């Protein structure tokens, strides 16, 4: 898969790019079949929601399961990232954000680089977040909300929120979010906030300074999303304060597997 010029231009303009049908149904079913056992494990890398006791995010999942290892090395993700950042990239973080039916909690407005910089000492906002929807994501089951163009505000002030959810996060204050939404609205009144929805198998790419969040899942539908963060080797973390599953320490250049590695019968 090669990103087209207009896709690269829209990523540059908005800070995110939606890729419908990046993975097929059989590939997603194979990945989904691995999730129940992984979520049932007692493992510090399974971070539990505050209220429900359900898994919020299952981290380091490529080191716990061979099929998710293949997804973390999939050429449709690695190839796209290499097109955008033409330099060696390492696997910074791999997880599935679960957001279970009726209980999946909020992700506050934030941009990932605030965490990567403050917690891990990553110098520049060059990491790419690559998502794959493992469930259909609709308006009701807690889709990600993006503020188009908010990546252009760069690395602005963020506040460390350790109490709202079970996952400490550097978040963006409402006054700043308001300004970003007004900016997006001035560019296109119909796209002040975009909900990233789509069928299972949809891919997403977004930049490290793009402001995003997601609401609670009030629906009866689970919403699992796989996330792979790749960072240039030249921009590696300089601090080891967070557990390894939150920022991996292996800075070797990630190698892509075969395109059919998630097809039935592939070795
Ligand atoms: C979410 O899974 O809803 C948010 C994930 C993120 O912040 O990347
Ligand atoms: Mn995020």
């Amino acid at each position: 898969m090669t990103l087209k010029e207009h896709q690269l231009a829209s990523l540059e303009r908005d800070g995110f790019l939606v890729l419908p049908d990046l993975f097929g149904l059989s590939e997603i079913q194979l990945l989904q079949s691995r999730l129940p056992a992984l979520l049932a494990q007692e493992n510090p890398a399974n971070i539990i929601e505050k209220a429900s006791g359900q898994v919020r995010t299952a981290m380091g999942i490529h080191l716990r399961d061979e099929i998710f290892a293949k997804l973390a090395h999939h050429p449709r993700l690695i190839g796209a990232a290499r097109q955008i950042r033409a330099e060696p990239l390492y696997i910074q973080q791999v997880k599935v954000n679960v957001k279970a039916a009726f209980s999946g909690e909020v992700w506050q407005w934030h941009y990932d680089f605030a965490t990567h910089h403050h917690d891990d000492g990553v110098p520049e906002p060059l990491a790419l977040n690559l998502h794959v929807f493992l469930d259909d994501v609709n308006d009701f089951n807690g889709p990600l909300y993006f503020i188009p163009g908010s990546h252009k505000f760069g690395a602005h002030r963020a506040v460390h929120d350790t109490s709202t959810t079970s996952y400490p996060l550097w978040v963006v204050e409402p006054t700043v979010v308001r300004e970003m939404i007004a900016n997006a609205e001035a560019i296109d009144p119909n796209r002040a906030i975009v909900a990233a929805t789509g069928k299972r198998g949809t891919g997403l790419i977004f930049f490290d300074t793009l402001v995003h969040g997601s609401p609670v899942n009030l629906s009866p539908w689970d919403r699992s999303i796989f996330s792979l963060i790749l960072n240039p080797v030249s921009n590696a973390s300089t601090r080891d304060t967070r557990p390894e599953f939150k920022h991996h320490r292996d800075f070797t250049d990630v190698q892509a597997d075969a395109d059919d590695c998630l097809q039935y019968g592939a070795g």
Side-chain angles (χ1 to χ4, degrees):
M1 196 234 10
T2 307
L3 296 172
K4 303 204 168 50
E5 273 311 313
H6 72 92
Q7 291 176 307
L8 291 167
S10 121
L11 175 63
E12 208 48 55
R13 183 194 64 221
D14 292 338
F16 67 92
L17 180 67
V18 183
L19 299 165
D21 300 317
L22 188 61
F23 288 88
L25 191 55
S26 66
E27 295 173 312
I28 297 299
Q29 282 168 340
L30 175 61
L31 292 156
Q32 270 286 11
S33 72
R34 316 295 286 198
L35 266 187
L38 287 162
L39 300 182
Q41 288 172 354
E42 279 211 28
N43 186 319
N46 279 349
I47 293 164
I48 308 298
E49 297 277 25
K50 262 194 155 170
S52 67
Q54 304 258 24
V55 175
R56 172 182 181 83
T57 178
M59 306 190 85
I61 201 162
H62 63 312
L63 303 177
R64 297 158 58 190
D65 184 87
E66 59 181 315
I67 299 298
F68 277 101
K70 288 181 194 284
L71 184 56
H73 292 84
H74 204 287
R76 285 173 229 154
L77 301 178
I78 308 289
R82 283 208 192 292
Q83 241 187 299
I84 300 161
R85 302 256 181 265
E87 59 175 311
L89 301 167
Y90 72 94
I91 293 182
Q92 173 173 325
Q93 191 184 81
V94 184
K95 61 188 178 293
V96 173
N97 285 342
V98 177
K99 204 166 279 216
F102 294 117
S103 63
E105 291 173 14
V106 67
W107 286 84
Q108 313 93 304
W109 286 114
H110 70 282
Y111 63 100
D112 296 345
F113 181 66
T115 298
H116 302 161
H117 186 64
H118 288 113
D119 291 349
D120 305 332
V122 171
E124 298 294 332
L126 298 173
L128 298 171
N129 202 330
L130 302 120
H131 282 192
V132 178
F133 294 179
L134 302 179
D135 288 305
D136 295 341
V137 180
N138 58 42
D139 289 334
F140 311 105
N141 63 352
L144 268 84
Y145 291 169
F146 292 131
I147 306 176
S150 56
H151 62 303
K152 297 197 171 147
F153 284 67
H156 44 85
R157 196 177 116 79
V159 178
H160 201 212
D161 180 351
T162 56
S163 61
T164 302
T165 75
S166 56
Y167 195 90
L169 200 61
W170 289 86
V171 305
V172 181
E173 289 174 310
T175 46
V176 181
V177 172
R178 196 184 287 280
E179 191 187 330
M180 289 169 169
I181 291 177
N183 174 70
E185 198 170 19
I187 295 167
D188 184 343
N190 297 315
R191 293 181 84 244
I193 303 175
V194 173
T197 56
K199 285 192 319 208
R200 63 194 69 190
T202 298
L204 260 186
I205 305 173
F206 59 95
F207 287 143
D208 220 19
T209 51
L210 184 77
V211 173
H212 58 283
S214 60
V216 297
N217 183 359
L218 292 177
S219 82
W221 306 299
D222 288 336
R223 189 232 70 173
S224 304
I225 300 179
F226 171 85
S227 157
L228 165 68
I229 300 181
L230 298 175
N231 189 33
V233 173
S234 63
N235 189 47
S237 63
T238 57
R239 210 173 296 141
D240 280 356
T241 43
R242 295 203 299 165
E244 218 263 337
F245 58 76
K246 287 193 174 175
H247 197 129
H248 295 288
R249 324 273 200 244
D250 178 356
F251 300 148
T252 49
D253 187 23
V254 61
Q255 300 300 312
D257 210 323
D259 193 74
D260 67 354
C261 64
L262 292 172
Q263 302 292 346
Y264 179 73

